[in-house]
Amino acid sequence: MPTALITGITGQDGSYLAELLLAKGYKVVGVARRSSTVTFERIQHIQDQITIEQGDLHDQSSLVDVMERYAPDEIYNLAAQSFVPTSWNQPVLTGEVTALGVTRILEAMRQVLPKARFYQASSSEMFGKVLEVPQKETTPFYPRSPYGVAKVYGHWITVNFRESHDLFAVAGILFNHESPRRGLEFVTRKVSDGAARIKLGLAKELPLGNLEAQRDWGFAGDYVEAMWMMLQEDQPDDYVIGTGATYSVRRLCEVAFAHLDLDYNEYVTEDPRFYRPAEVDLLISDPSKAKEKLGWQPKVDFEGLVKMMVDADMERLRRAGG
């Protein structure tokens, strides 16, 4: 039975990845920060099948300790300060966790488990002010937020450890991936939750930022499969993961509200308070390398994803209402 270590296991991607690995017969060990509030909601249904250990990307000794005790074959670093707007308010924290945290876990692996395989969660936000459309593995980075800058550091330190220390370390440059487990602060969940609340009479309007912003949105459950595939290859390499299609926030609203027989124009307002200080340009992936080398394909399309999220929020809110 192979063992996998997942940082950020309580997040969206961590929960889907843990499910996938359990189905493949792995022993799954998750690293979670000590917190005064329990945040295990996304993994509650599998908590008795996995092991949770305390650890923190600020504290290298805690990472060394968990690696020594469990000797994982695969290490997936999904932990980060991952909300872009927060990175402007807390740029130092974002750098400590999202950038230097990667170095700490790689250095712990180098010391304890140099033969393990490592996955780093890189991000399409690294492309930022895009220098070519669509974006592929060789597209230069031009990040437009402290989060994007931190992710560039995390990406390049992964490449550096691979080349300097001969580690099996890969980076997945994932474009936006969503699900019913996405945090409510992200625009896709804002829209699916907002539409559901309006349908149920719990809200009257939905204020959003730039409705013309465009993203390449896919389903998180599909994307974690690509992470696993990268670590099964003979040689470590980096891959862009996305759908290759892009949609505006306006179109997101249109699909979500129409699924509930509502017209988004009657409820959605544009509020400059939610604009980014620096907007990214047209983020759209070219995932051809992943399709050709890994055999990876997204299974859930944009409309299917939005409807899945709206249905899940309707069900959640109905349950909460008794």
Side-chain angles (χ1 to χ4, degrees):
M1 179 188 291
T3 299
L5 180 69
I6 305 173
T7 70
I9 195 168
T10 59
Q12 169 189 256
D13 293 7
S15 66
Y16 281 110
L17 179 61
E19 285 176 350
L20 175 75
L21 295 176
L22 287 171
K24 291 183 180 296
Y26 280 68
K27 176 180 179 178
V28 176
V29 179
V31 174
R33 276 181 306 141
R34 169 76 179 89
S35 173
S36 57
T37 54
V38 177
T39 54
F40 293 160
E41 182 184 349
R42 294 182 181 96
I43 55 170
Q44 228 161 18
H45 61 297
I46 54 170
Q47 217 169 327
D48 60 343
Q49 301 171 61
I50 62 180
T51 302
I52 301 291
E53 290 288 346
Q54 284 185 19
D56 198 314
L57 291 188
H58 286 101
D59 179 17
Q60 190 170 323
S61 63
S62 68
L63 303 173
V64 168
D65 179 59
V66 74
M67 287 183 199
E68 285 179 336
R69 279 190 290 135
Y70 292 97
D73 304 281
E74 298 173 3
I75 300 166
Y76 296 86
N77 181 38
L78 309 184
Q81 189 302 99
S82 60
F83 189 44
V84 175
T86 295
S87 75
W88 276 288
N89 298 328
Q90 297 182 295
V92 175
L93 172 71
T94 301
E96 279 287 344
V97 178
T98 308
L100 288 177
V102 186
T103 313
R104 294 186 188 105
I105 194 167
L106 280 165
E107 180 62 10
M109 174 182 157
R110 186 184 71 80
Q111 292 174 9
V112 179
L113 294 167
K115 297 302 180 188
R117 297 189 166 203
F118 175 82
Y119 172 85
Q120 165 60 15
S122 290
S123 168
S124 61
E125 289 284 337
M126 300 188 307
F127 295 121
K129 191 172 183 178
V130 299
L131 300 178
E132 65 178 354
V133 178
Q135 294 88 52
K136 52 185 182 287
E137 291 79 8
T138 55
T139 301
F141 301 137
Y142 194 147
R144 296 273 279 169
S145 66
Y147 169 78
V149 172
K151 278 292 185 183
V152 169
Y153 178 98
H155 179 87
W156 281 121
I157 202 68
T158 301
V159 173
N160 185 266
F161 267 66
R162 176 170 76 216
E163 295 177 351
S164 301
H165 303 299
D166 197 29
L167 298 184
F168 194 108
V170 308
I173 305 173
L174 271 57
F175 280 64
N176 292 63
H177 45 290
E178 319 296 319
S179 75
R181 300 178 195 172
R182 190 59 140 153
L184 282 164
E185 69 272 24
F186 291 87
V187 69
T188 46
R189 267 308 291 290
K190 267 190 183 179
V191 171
S192 63
D193 176 73
R197 287 180 182 278
I198 288 167
K199 182 67 175 180
L200 295 172
L202 301 173
K204 294 182 178 178
E205 66 173 9
L206 176 61
L208 296 173
N210 180 12
L211 296 183
E212 307 314 321
Q214 297 196 49
R215 296 291 185 274
D216 182 335
W217 278 301
F219 173 50
D222 290 341
Y223 286 37
V224 299
E225 190 171 9
M227 299 177 187
W228 176 78
M229 286 176 161
M230 290 177 212
L231 293 194
Q232 311 317 306
E233 289 292 290
D234 292 334
Q235 297 297 323
D237 205 350
D238 307 322
Y239 297 87
V240 161
I241 304 297
T243 68
T246 189
Y247 298 91
S248 67
V249 175
R250 187 179 298 280
R251 177 63 181 153
L252 169 67
C253 294
E254 188 178 5
V255 173
F257 279 78
H259 186 53
L260 299 176
D261 298 317
L262 299 172
D263 180 354
Y264 82 96
N265 288 298
E266 296 177 18
Y267 306 101
V268 174
T269 59
E270 209 163 358
D271 189 333
R273 287 180 304 158
F274 299 122
Y275 283 23
R276 289 185 176 190
E279 181 59 81
V280 299
D281 295 322
L282 183 57
L283 287 178
I284 178 169
S285 66
D286 175 2
S288 53
K289 179 179 172 181
K291 290 178 179 179
E292 289 162 15
K293 287 191 70 177
L294 302 177
W296 177 83
Q297 287 273 9
K299 301 181 183 75
V300 179
D301 66 12
F302 173 72
E303 294 204 2
L305 171 65
V306 177
K307 291 172 182 177
M308 174 203 304
M309 293 176 68
V310 170
D311 288 343
D313 277 321
M314 285 290 288
E315 176 64 23
R316 177 181 60 86
L317 290 167
R318 282 185 175 130
R319 278 202 315 270

